[in-house]
Amino acid sequence: MKTIFEPFKIKMVEPIPILTAAERQAAIKTANFNLFTLPADTVTFDFLTDSGTSAMSSAQWAAMLLGDESYAGSTSYQRFQRTIQNLTGLEHVIPTHQGRSAEALLCQALLKPGQRVLGNTQFDTTRANIESAGGISIDLPDPANKNTQAEDPFKGNVDLHALKQELEDRSSEVAFFVMTVTNNSVGGQPVSMENLRTTRQILADYRIPLFIDCARFAENAYFIKTRELGYAAKSIPSIVSEMFSYADGALMSAKKDAFANIGGFLALKDARLAEDVRRRMVITEGFPTYGGLAGRDLEAIATGLDEIQDESYLSYRIKSVDYFGRGLEEAGLKVVKPLGGHAVYIDAKASVPHLAAAQFPAQALAVALYETIGLRGVEVGSLMFGHKDEVSGEEIPAPQELVRLAFPRRVYTQSHIDAIIEGAHEMARTLDQLPGYRIVEQAKFLRHFTAKLDRQDCEVQS
Ligand code: F0G
């Protein structure tokens, strides 16, 4: 069937704010042209993140009522533990209040200052936790992802050649490896089973443990099924099992592929490491059978982890993101290929070439999407990753200028997507006249969250 339809019906609704163009222009000006500063009730379509923004199912809400709030050893923990043991094959299951606390606990337990952590590309919080434990984060992404237009099916892979080289040169300094599936920092692109398997083999020779950051494990499994030779006839749960069979541990932000609004976990093979983490976590996260969560949250996550492996849901999700990306392309925007995953990434360098990096082209596009459509995305370009040179005071731009439009799960329907595409066609008519921006005020770290910007006069280069 050509029509993409949601494999669910809606039992509860929440109105979305609908503003006039003048109201949106006033709101973004008051927010100093920073989408993070916008109050949510001024946003019609909120695609800022797919994290913690999912709509839970009736089964998840029902399970929450069964939440056992006992401080220690609750039945909800037992169910959570069983579900994750079955999913990952990893015996020791530790709940955490979200993904980054699992990262912090792992880094504190495993990393010594000066040690290196390798990966296909660490997510920002993972890198921050590695660095805050005194470690060095080394990203080894597959060079295929440099070309945003190449249709390579597994651009999230680790560069195996670079990995071997790194290990030949300094394996004794490496504490562990993290494979992030899908690879959020490189456009949400997937990792192939072959890449995961080979990475495991290479690391085994050096006895270096492999952890999977499995925030979006089910989406990655669906890509393996649909894009990798030999997996078409396999079920999603069996692909998921194989993925985890290569891991010594897994970290998860359950705010993504567990349809939960909060939560996470660390699952480990090694009993001694698990014991160490459990001792540490009591100080900050809570007792090891609730880890900063309520019993009802553990129930919602356990139910969500089963639901996410439903192939009809995954097929709808990936097709819907693909449809959205194609629609934006037809409207005249350049998007990162191949499409699919948790987000569509617009390539601002290619879409608004009249703006130089110093004029924050991706931010210009993100603001225009809000002003025209009421759509909130996030700039992943020089505002987020550029910085001021300490000596010269000059702006050093980021390698890519992207706008990420991340899809909350089960929240927006196909007609919302059609409405956004219609708006994008309208916006595209004035793309070549979009004004640039300059930073008026910024913090030293993570400036994109709080920076104040102002609009420049439109200077179109001929
Ligand atoms: N790992 C990955 C791959 C992530 O995408 C995120 C969060 C985390 C870890 C951290 O998890 O937020 O629960 O502490 N990503 C969100 C995003 C914030 O918008 O992509 P957390």
Side-chain angles (χ1 to χ4, degrees), residues 326-346:
R326 282 173 205 274
L328 294 182
E329 236 184 341
E330 277 164 26
L333 294 163
K334 287 273 184 293
V335 295
V336 176
K337 304 280 192 54
L339 290 159
H342 68 293
V344 170
Y345 291 72
I346 305 173

Side-chain angles (χ1 to χ4, degrees), residues 377-396:
V378 62
E379 193 258 16
V380 184
S382 290
L383 179 59
M384 188 181 274
F385 292 124
H387 60 277
K388 239 187 176 95
D389 186 273
E390 297 224 329
V391 183
S392 67
E394 241 177 82
E395 267 289 318
I396 311 294

